[in-house]
Amino acid sequence: GENVEQHPSTLSVQEGDSAVIKCTYSDSASNYFPWYKQELGKGPQLIIDIRSNVGEKKDQRIAVTLNKTAKHFSLHITETQPEDSAVYFCAASWRKLTFGTGTQLKVEL
Amino acid sequence: EPEVTQTPSHQVTQMGQEVILRCVPISNHLYFYWYRQILGQKVEFLVSFYNNEISEKSEIFDDQFSVERPDGSNFTLKIRSTKLEDSAMYFCASPVGGGTSTDTQYFGPGTRLTVL
């Protein structure tokens, strides 16, 4: 089955800096790669996603890149703000979502 | 963002008891998923359900688990005889689309199950 690795497990940045979270996946059949933000006690909230026919996608301060050959994809957050602090999960999908282990992002003032 | 609702928000039960968790997916969707998240760990797939049948299930989804669609809008996850290790957050997710592999899945707020 699919296996998704995510790094780093924790990430601390200063407000205004950029944050990058990286994921790798194992199943070449996976063709959909969403990123979710999870705040304490809440359900995962979709922040951006990318499909396998696209290499990069951007939505304001958030961007995702996908390298299907290398089987890795990354989340980029620019101009980080304190409200970006949360746990971020990547996932890979072929019919069902397989999640990474999560990254605790802390944006410090 | 489309809204998925879940009840109850928190369920406390004794080991060996049956629990039923409820989900109202995005309106008119026939496809939905259940996931679970043990505290501090990643979200794990349990089961997908399409048109009143299980489409796929994980090894976690053993004989103690079942899913149903008791009426036109609600879906349920039942655990027949709860174990301590069933304590977790349970999320349902509703895909926008026809249930294909590239559908965006929207998650509900979850039910926290505590087994004592």
Side-chain angles (χ1 to χ4, degrees), chain A residues 2 25-33 52 68-69 71 93-94:
Chain A
E2 175 66 277
Y25 62 99
S26 60
D27 190 348
S28 57
S30 290
N31 58 358
Y32 173 63
F33 307 91
S52 60
K68 283 219 72 180
T69 302
K71 296 197 189 76
S93 176
W94 171 245

Side-chain angles (χ1 to χ4, degrees), chain A residues 14-80:
Chain A
Q14 294 293 315
E15 183 180 9
D17 287 350
S18 295
V20 180
I21 303 171
K22 298 181 178 182
C23 289
T24 60
Y25 62 99
S26 60
D27 190 348
S28 57
S30 290
N31 58 358
Y32 173 63
F33 307 91
W35 287 87
Y36 288 87
K37 177 183 180 182
Q38 187 176 33
E39 296 174 332
L40 197 62
K42 296 185 178 181
Q45 179 185 13
L46 179 76
I47 56 170
I48 196 168
D49 57 13
I50 192 168
R51 290 170 173 79
S52 60
N53 57 344
V54 176
E56 184 174 356
K57 183 177 178 180
K58 187 174 182 180
D59 182 5
Q60 298 182 356
R61 296 187 297 111
I62 297 173
V64 59
T65 59
L66 171 65
N67 184 327
K68 283 219 72 180
T69 302
K71 296 197 189 76
H72 65 72
F73 55 114
S74 301
L75 176 71
H76 305 252
I77 305 174
T78 59
E79 301 172 28
T80 53

